[in-house]
């Protein structure tokens, strides 16, 4: 574990959050780092101090974490982290069961599931935190994507993956695809929800265009830290514009 930086609020803090970015070296593409930046900045603007930690293979996991974020990666990145992920998998599953909020994008979403069968038929095992399995398809599913979700309204992002994910009975989808392909291009599901964990294919970055989801993760994190969620009203005009532009663009 390394400390990347600490943000402190301008006034007296309402609380303090420890945010952990999983595998930033190998799993961090198509702007996924933006998710971490949004969480850290919004937490600060809502009045919470943030300590941002990162974890790469072979390091020690921190003892206390309130929010965990991980990005996507190529098959080669997934190969580099897979052994380490299997080692920390039991701890991550315990944390998820305890209600720790997590956001796993694309390649990490696949490995939070039961595994990913590559285009060459090789299995990269996952940790089974999410009841899902992924098999590489023939082509790639690429472009802007819009979902309807129960908790966050319309969610907008950008997908780029070969994996076709099928959810098992233990996972609910994050949302229903309105434009785009989502988990597999056939059953209209996108992503997965279990406990306070969100797995999704949406890059973009996801959270700058979806502040409702960012604030939901922060609220769960503050509660998990045993503090009160008392947010400020923030001006999301730029996020609204970015959402509108992304939704208006054809694939
Ligand atoms: N390698 C995986 C796939 O193509 C994940 C890609 C990603 O994380 N963007 O399905």
């Amino acid at each position: 574990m390394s400390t990347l930086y600490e943000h402190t609020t301008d006034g007296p803090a309402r609380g303090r959050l420890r945010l952990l970015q999983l595998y930033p070296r190998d799993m961090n593409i198509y702007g996924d780092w933006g998710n971490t930046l949004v969480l850290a900045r919004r937490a600060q603007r809502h009045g919470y101090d943030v300590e941002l930690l990162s974890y790469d293979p072979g390091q020690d996991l921190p003892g206390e974490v309130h929010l965990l974020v991980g990005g996507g990666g190529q098959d080669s990145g997934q190969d580099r982290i897979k052994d380490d992920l299997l080692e920390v998998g039991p701890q991550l599953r315990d944390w998820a069961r305890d209600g720790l909020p997590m956001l796993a994008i694309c390649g990490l979403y696949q490995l939070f599931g039961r595994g990913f069968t590559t285009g060459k038929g090789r299995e990269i095992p996952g940790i089974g935190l999410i009841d899902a399995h992924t098999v590489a398809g023939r082509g790639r599913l690429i472009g802007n994507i819009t979902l309807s979700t129960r908790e966050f309204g319309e969610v907008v992002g950008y997908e780029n993956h070969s994996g076709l994910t099928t959810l098992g009975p233990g996972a609910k989808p994050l949302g229903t695809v309105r434009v785009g392909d989502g988990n597999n291009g056939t059953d209209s599901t996108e992503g997965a929800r279990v406990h306070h964990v969100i797995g999704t294919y949406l890059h973009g970055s996801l959270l700058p265009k979806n502040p409702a989801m960012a604030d939901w993760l922060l609220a769960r994190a503050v509660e998990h830290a045993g503090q009160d969620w008392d947010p400020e009203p923030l001006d999301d005009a730029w996020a609204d514009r970015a959402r509108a532009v992304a939704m208006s663009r054809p694939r």
Side-chain angles (χ1 to χ4, degrees):
M1 165 196 108
S2 335
T3 301
L4 294 182
Y5 50 76
E6 301 197 19
H7 284 299
T8 45
T9 56
D10 293 336
R14 289 171 194 173
R16 179 174 188 81
L17 288 181
R18 275 193 129 188
L19 211 156
L20 179 66
Q21 168 88 18
L22 212 52
Y23 305 128
R25 211 169 55 201
D26 298 305
M27 303 295 286
N28 195 7
I29 54 173
Y30 310 134
D32 289 340
W33 178 244
N35 294 325
T36 307
L37 292 181
V38 164
L39 290 168
R41 293 279 187 238
R42 283 186 86 84
Q44 185 189 18
R45 288 167 69 195
H46 284 308
Y48 296 82
D49 289 343
V50 175
E51 192 184 349
L52 178 58
L53 309 173
S54 71
Y55 173 83
D56 284 304
Q59 297 185 324
D60 291 325
L61 276 176
E64 194 189 10
V65 177
H66 308 128
L67 178 53
L68 185 145
V69 188
Q74 312 294 353
D75 296 8
S76 55
Q78 292 176 303
D79 267 330
R80 284 195 293 275
I81 59 118
K82 68 178 193 306
D83 293 338
D84 189 88
L85 182 63
L86 289 181
E87 268 180 41
V88 298
Q91 175 69 77
L92 300 188
R93 285 197 302 270
D94 282 352
W95 278 348
R97 260 194 305 271
D98 285 351
L100 177 73
M102 303 184 183
L103 175 67
I105 309 289
C106 201
L108 198 64
Y109 163 43
Q110 293 172 349
L111 297 189
F112 269 28
R114 301 195 179 286
F116 171 50
T117 313
T118 68
K120 294 190 172 137
R122 195 168 49 83
E123 184 70 6
I124 305 180
I127 58 173
L129 191 156
I130 296 174
D131 185 12
H133 188 260
T134 304
V135 178
R138 291 222 186 124
R140 293 191 74 80
L141 310 178
I142 304 175
N144 286 327
I145 170 167
T146 304
L147 327 175
S148 303
T149 73
R150 199 168 46 83
E151 285 164 301
F152 316 112
E154 293 230 289
V155 170
V156 187
Y158 173 82
E159 62 182 326
N160 186 347
H161 54 108
S162 73
L164 305 176
T165 299
T166 306
L167 300 182
K172 291 194 185 83
L174 167 63
T176 304
V177 177
R178 296 298 168 214
V179 179
D181 287 303
N183 279 336
N184 49 55
T186 51
D187 68 9
S188 295
T189 65
E190 204 298 315
R193 281 294 322 276
V194 55
H195 307 296
H196 291 149
V197 178
I198 299 173
T200 176
Y201 275 110
L202 273 56
H203 302 277
S205 328
L206 171 66
L207 295 183
K209 289 203 284 294
N210 297 281
M213 192 183 271
D215 283 355
W216 182 89
L217 287 163
L218 289 173
R220 301 293 81 75
V222 167
E223 288 163 11
H224 193 70
Q227 301 160 11
D228 292 327
W229 175 237
D230 180 18
E232 287 289 322
L234 300 183
D235 178 1
D236 289 325
W238 284 105
D240 292 341
R241 278 181 68 178
R243 289 164 62 78
V245 169
M247 280 194 259
S248 72
R249 289 218 171 129
R251 279 169 65 91

